[in-house]
Amino acid sequence: MSSSEWEAVIGLEVHAQLKTSSKLFSRESAQYGAEPNTQVNEVCAGMPGALPVINERAVEYAMVAGYALGCEVHLWSQFARKNYFYPDLPKGYQISQFKHPICTGGGVDYLLDGELKRCNLTRIHLEEDAGKNIHAPNGSLVDLNRAGVPLIEIVGEPELRSADEATAYLKELRNILRYLDVCDGNLEEGSFRCDANVSVRPRGQEAFGTRAELKNINSFRFIQRAIDYEIARQIDLLENGEQVVQETRLFNHDTGRTTSMRSKEEAHDYRYFPDPDLPPLVIAPEWSERVKAALPELPGQKRERYQRDLGLPAYDADVLTQARPVAEFFEAAVAAHDNPKGIANWVMNEVLREVDNPEEGLDALAFGPAQLAELVQMVDDKELTGKIAKAVFAKMVESGQAPTEIADAEGLRPIRDEGRLRALIADILANNPAQVEQFRGGKTKLMGFFIGQLMQQTRGKADPGLGRKLLMEELNSDNEDG
Ligand code: ADP
Ligand code: MG
């Protein structure tokens, strides 16, 4: 069989760290980056007798994510103990949700090469993170700062069919969580982590093949590479008459390969059972209604509205909504000057070039949306030529000054004085007799040459429409006279 006769099946499990200031079951700080073991209290350390108390904010964030992703949010859910032994888990169990998760169903609508696709979700549940083992040359160390940090696990249906789909889905999911402000989506710091389940099957076959679960992939590029490698590896095995083993595999960034970490035989029986220290999680209907009503407009909704109401091409709508601060900047500028396409062009081509990481906000820019709106308005009113507008923009980037002020201070307003333009044109015609003769002989495309001369004489400031009109008059009228 050739590789096109195989179909990949991918299902993703995403662990998203919720942006709460404290942990899921205690008031200990959940902030990232502190000195090891400085954010550990008796609850995170699993001291005997310490009791968990649920963090209300974390529950709210899980609800927010659930509603935004179209899930059914259950007003009654239950925490369960997932039992296993590992040094980074002092209690000997992780508090998670099992039989009764807070959310079920829902899905992510994402764009791939301009096509809208959907991957459904199985469930979203709340759970606490484990600590972290740090392997040093002289032994292994345990940092419990992360133990007890709130996570939601978002389990996707096995509906993705390529690494491209998986990556596009993840990017959209991450963007949605960032729009909601419930997760900062930092892959490197581990606040948005993904396990990829990958299997292959002969195209047309309904039954799924045996899957491998890939771990340790902390960038979109690595996710793409790990999945592609794994698909190729499995096809290779099957074509050689071998079997895919159900196992957990680790992606190695350096080699670009996945290697076996543990097989299914060593898989855990987690002996889940409801956590007796925690009552069922019961959400008041009014609370859930409040959360639902307060949801912000999501990237997909913005994309649609930008096309439908603002008349933007799909491409622009996509670029402008990839980070919420960019969408907000764009919308503020459009509110000040109603030319969405003009402003979209400036934001995409010029503004974004000045921002290192648009996701972190555009506040570092010296100017704001009002100044950009004013600039586009000046161009629309023919107060600035396109070329000069770029120069004004460059000054705006440096000083944050209003474009009208810059244009006045630097004498950049277009030259509309007919007498002055006619005098310049007369000089140009007198200095270029050969071109004038050719133009009059029918080589009208030389108009570009004359416009170029006029712009050179005025350093780009001649009003181009008026300049062209006057040039036409002079070139033609002399012809008739002569
Ligand atoms: P586990 O709890 O062992 O990880 P689940 O049944 O909960 O197993 O599935 C976890 C993830 O694996 C889900 O995202 C699901 O979509 C995906 N998945 C299940 N079966 C397959 C398969 N045959 N190929 C690829 N992905 C799969
Ligand atoms: Mg799994």
Side-chain angles (χ1 to χ4, degrees):
M1 280 167 91
S2 80
S3 71
S4 66
E5 289 165 69
W6 295 97
E7 179 177 60
V9 172
I10 302 153
L12 302 178
E13 294 163 280
V14 169
H15 286 92
Q17 181 178 329
L18 299 175
K19 267 174 93 173
T20 58
S21 52
S22 54
K23 294 191 177 179
L24 185 54
F25 296 112
S26 79
R27 299 169 84 156
E28 189 55 58
S29 168
Q31 297 318 299
Y32 176 85
E35 284 294 303
N37 295 312
T38 54
Q39 295 175 168
V40 187
N41 65 10
E42 67 285 357
V43 177
C44 340
M47 303 289 249
L51 286 173
V53 177
I54 185 70
N55 180 334
E56 193 176 315
R57 183 65 59 84
V59 175
E60 176 151 327
Y61 285 177
M63 263 198 279
V64 167
Y67 283 124
L69 294 166
C71 305
E72 184 175 345
V73 175
H74 302 285
L75 302 187
W76 191 100
S77 65
Q78 192 180 52
F79 288 104
R81 291 185 180 180
K82 179 178 181 179
N83 299 280
Y84 63 94
F85 177 79
Y86 209 61
D88 63 11
L89 192 72
K91 295 196 297 294
Y93 60 86
Q94 176 194 24
I95 307 179
S96 182
Q97 295 188 305
F98 186 57
K99 266 198 187 134
H100 301 282
I102 185 165
C103 306
T104 51
V108 176
D109 298 304
Y110 63 94
L111 274 176
L112 181 60
D113 299 329
E115 195 187 333
L116 194 61
K117 300 192 162 192
R118 179 179 175 85
C119 178
N120 289 295
L121 299 180
T122 313
R123 57 191 270 151
I124 301 177
H125 61 253
L126 268 164
E127 65 183 26
E128 58 177 350
D129 207 344
K132 211 162 145 181
N133 292 328
I134 300 161
H135 304 291
N138 53 348
S140 287
L141 303 163
V142 180
D143 176 7
L144 292 181
N145 282 353
R146 216 178 61 180
V149 161
L151 306 176
I152 45 174
E153 177 168 345
I154 303 162
V155 182
E157 290 285 301
E159 294 177 347
L160 301 162
R161 294 290 174 264
S162 66
D164 285 337
E165 286 189 3
T167 311
Y169 160 89
L170 283 172
K171 285 185 176 167
E172 183 72 18
L173 176 59
R174 176 177 176 277
N175 197 18
I176 290 170
L177 297 179
R178 287 187 50 95
Y179 264 64
L180 297 169
D181 206 23
V182 300
C183 169
D184 67 22
N186 192 324
L187 276 75
E188 254 169 59
E189 292 179 0
S191 59
F192 185 91
R193 309 196 284 269
C194 167
D195 299 338
N197 296 273
V198 178
S199 64
V200 298
R201 63 182 172 189
R203 207 170 278 286
Q205 174 184 308
E206 204 165 321
F208 290 144
T210 305
R211 71 181 146 123
E213 181 168 349
L214 311 182
K215 289 196 181 284
N216 196 32
I217 28 191
N218 61 358
S219 81
F220 287 118
R221 196 162 52 90
F222 291 156
I223 288 164
Q224 181 96 29
R225 279 173 57 197
I227 293 175
D228 277 334
Y229 175 84
E230 184 58 22
I231 293 171
R233 186 187 74 87
Q234 292 186 11
I235 292 175
D236 217 47
L237 279 176
L238 296 172
E239 293 198 331
N240 286 306
E242 293 172 64
Q243 301 278 313
V244 174
V245 184
Q246 181 163 349
E247 62 184 353
T248 302
R249 298 179 69 85
L250 215 58
F251 178 65
N252 182 321
H253 306 169
D254 299 323
T255 61
R257 295 157 180 253
T258 64
T259 50
S260 182
M261 187 168 115
R262 58 169 181 257
S263 73
K264 191 68 183 176
E265 289 83 76
E266 301 159 53
H268 301 102
D269 171 7
Y270 293 118
R271 296 179 295 116
Y272 280 99
F273 62 86
D275 192 315
D277 287 343
L278 285 157
L281 176 56
V282 179
I283 295 165
E286 308 82 65
W287 186 18
S288 74
E289 289 306 318
R290 242 184 297 131
V291 165
K292 219 188 296 181
L295 285 181
E297 188 180 34
L298 296 170
Q301 294 167 322
K302 280 194 192 293
R303 275 200 303 265
E304 237 173 68
R305 180 169 62 84
Y306 288 3
Q307 293 176 66
R308 187 190 60 228
D309 297 350
L310 304 181
L312 292 189
Y315 174 82
D316 298 29
D318 188 27
V319 172
L320 293 172
T321 53
Q322 275 169 22
R324 186 171 170 178
V326 176
E328 284 170 353
F329 188 98
F330 164 74
E331 289 178 29
V334 171
H337 174 57
D338 187 16
N339 175 358
K341 180 57 183 158
I343 287 170
N345 289 344
W346 277 91
V347 172
M348 295 191 301
N349 301 329
E350 307 298 330
V351 177
L352 285 179
R353 198 183 302 167
E354 304 299 330
V355 187
D356 289 335
N357 183 1
E359 288 190 337
E360 294 302 317
L362 279 60
D363 298 342
L365 289 172
F367 63 94
Q371 280 81 41
L372 184 74
E374 195 177 288
L375 181 69
V376 179
Q377 172 137 37
M378 288 176 83
V379 175
D380 290 348
D381 293 346
K382 308 245 173 339
E383 282 296 311
L384 293 178
T385 63
K387 202 169 163 194
I388 300 275
K390 296 263 164 78
V392 172
F393 180 79
K395 291 240 156 31
M396 258 166 68
V397 169
E398 278 167 29
S399 68
Q401 256 188 317
T404 42
E405 280 172 36
I406 296 169
D408 289 337
E410 313 255 330
L412 296 175
R413 301 267 186 181
I415 301 170
R416 295 230 181 85
D417 180 337
E418 267 201 46
R420 197 169 148 205
L421 289 176
R422 274 193 206 279
L424 287 167
I425 288 170
D427 279 349
I428 291 168
L429 299 198
N431 291 333
N432 298 282
Q435 283 86 347
V436 172
E437 204 179 308
Q438 286 171 22
F439 182 91
R440 289 172 179 164
K443 205 171 167 193
T444 52
K445 71 174 183 208
L446 275 170
M447 180 53 95
F449 164 78
F450 292 112
I451 294 271
Q453 291 291 309
L454 183 61
M455 287 302 175
Q456 206 172 48
Q457 296 293 317
T458 57
R459 292 169 51 222
K461 282 185 285 185
D463 181 306
L466 184 60
R468 173 179 291 271
K469 176 173 157 267
L470 297 180
L471 266 167
M472 198 66 101
E473 280 175 21
E474 297 296 327
L475 282 162
N476 288 330
S477 77
D478 276 3
N479 195 19
E480 283 155 24
D481 294 350

